[in-house]
Amino acid sequence: MNRDDIGRLLVEAMRVTNHRDYVIIGSLSVLGAVAQPPESMTQSIDVDLYPKDDPGRASEIAYALGQGSEFEETFKYYADAVSPMLPTLPDGWNERLIKVAFDSGVAAWFLDPNDAAVSKYARSESRDREWVRAGLQAGILSLPTIEYRLRETVMETDERQRVKEAIAEDKQWLVPPEPPSSGLGM
């Protein structure tokens, strides 16, 4: 997936709802911050979205452009209706949305990648962890920023513990291994 794919979908969504602004969350939100992120961060074929000023109309978009639609049959990806209340996100996430305007007149408001990472850590499925690690490795995500935003995120106690454990694992994963000692003393 790439920004052009998102733009094509949003033009069709505009035909359904007459809205021009859409919020993109989930894996593909990375396309707001980086035009060409690592491929492993953009493998999703479902674009999690809703009209920015009318979230309730997301289901209309999914009905017309969602899984099993003619759009999906033609382009091999589809719109997935979501609610702004769906993901686990830190306070202020909506103020950090990244706007990308398309020549067609539609605009995507992408979730900041570090906010998306908070949600990914909260869910902690293997594909979410792979997405986060690809972002960390590419320098798109920042563990200190993610940890800071976690303090501003409402979560259940067990969910928060799972996130802390996953972050600790990723900190270890990021540390380069020590080179073997030559055994020569000087």
Side-chain angles (χ1 to χ4, degrees), residues 120-121 124-126 128-130 132-133 136 143 147 150 160-176:
K120 298 267 183 207
Y121 272 124
S124 276
E125 290 181 6
S126 62
D128 296 318
R129 295 294 303 282
E130 289 171 22
V132 168
R133 285 188 172 187
L136 291 169
L143 272 178
E147 287 181 300
L150 276 168
R160 186 169 299 280
Q161 184 59 37
R162 183 174 61 241
V163 169
K164 286 181 180 181
E165 289 169 8
I167 287 175
E169 287 174 14
D170 286 348
K171 282 181 178 179
Q172 284 296 112
W173 175 79
L174 283 170
V175 175

Side-chain angles (χ1 to χ4, degrees), residues 14-42:
M14 181 179 64
R15 289 188 181 128
V16 172
T17 65
N18 289 320
H19 287 287
R20 293 185 175 274
D21 294 286
Y22 297 88
V23 175
I24 309 291
I25 64 173
S27 299
L28 297 174
S29 62
V30 71
L31 291 168
V34 182
Q36 295 185 349
E39 187 177 327
S40 60
M41 295 183 82
T42 59

Side-chain angles (χ1 to χ4, degrees), residues 88-92 96 114-115 118 143-155 160 163-164 167:
T88 301
L89 294 171
D91 287 343
R96 291 186 290 271
N114 289 298
D115 290 334
V118 168
L143 272 178
T145 300
I146 294 166
E147 287 181 300
Y148 180 82
R149 290 185 186 169
L150 276 168
R151 290 186 278 170
E152 303 171 335
T153 306
V154 176
M155 290 183 192
R160 186 169 299 280
V163 169
K164 286 181 180 181
I167 287 175

Side-chain angles (χ1 to χ4, degrees), residues 23-184:
V23 175
I24 309 291
I25 64 173
S27 299
L28 297 174
S29 62
V30 71
L31 291 168
V34 182
Q36 295 185 349
E39 187 177 327
S40 60
M41 295 183 82
T42 59
Q43 291 180 343
S44 180
I45 62 167
D46 61 314
V47 181
D48 299 327
L49 61 79
Y50 61 88
K52 187 174 188 294
D53 298 321
D54 197 359
R57 304 230 12 227
S59 57
E60 292 174 45
I61 297 167
Y63 180 77
L65 307 170
Q67 191 169 23
S69 68
E70 187 176 312
F71 184 89
E72 182 195 17
E73 192 174 308
T74 302
F75 297 105
K76 308 301 181 218
Y77 63 97
Y78 60 93
D80 194 10
V82 294
S83 160
M85 306 308 283
L86 173 69
T88 301
L89 294 171
D91 287 343
W93 66 268
N94 52 338
E95 295 157 14
R96 291 186 290 271
L97 291 170
I98 300 165
K99 183 180 181 181
V100 174
F102 294 89
D103 292 340
S104 62
V106 297
W109 296 78
F110 292 92
L111 190 61
D112 175 274
N114 289 298
D115 290 334
V118 168
S119 181
K120 298 267 183 207
Y121 272 124
R123 201 165 67 174
S124 276
E125 290 181 6
S126 62
R127 64 184 174 170
D128 296 318
R129 295 294 303 282
E130 289 171 22
W131 186 91
V132 168
R133 285 188 172 187
L136 291 169
Q137 199 166 36
I140 297 168
L141 301 177
S142 161
L143 272 178
T145 300
I146 294 166
E147 287 181 300
Y148 180 82
R149 290 185 186 169
L150 276 168
R151 290 186 278 170
E152 303 171 335
T153 306
V154 176
M155 290 183 192
E156 298 291 326
T157 304
D158 59 333
E159 188 178 38
R160 186 169 299 280
Q161 184 59 37
R162 183 174 61 241
V163 169
K164 286 181 180 181
E165 289 169 8
I167 287 175
E169 287 174 14
D170 286 348
K171 282 181 178 179
Q172 284 296 112
W173 175 79
L174 283 170
V175 175
E178 299 240 352
S181 147
S182 66
L184 300 175

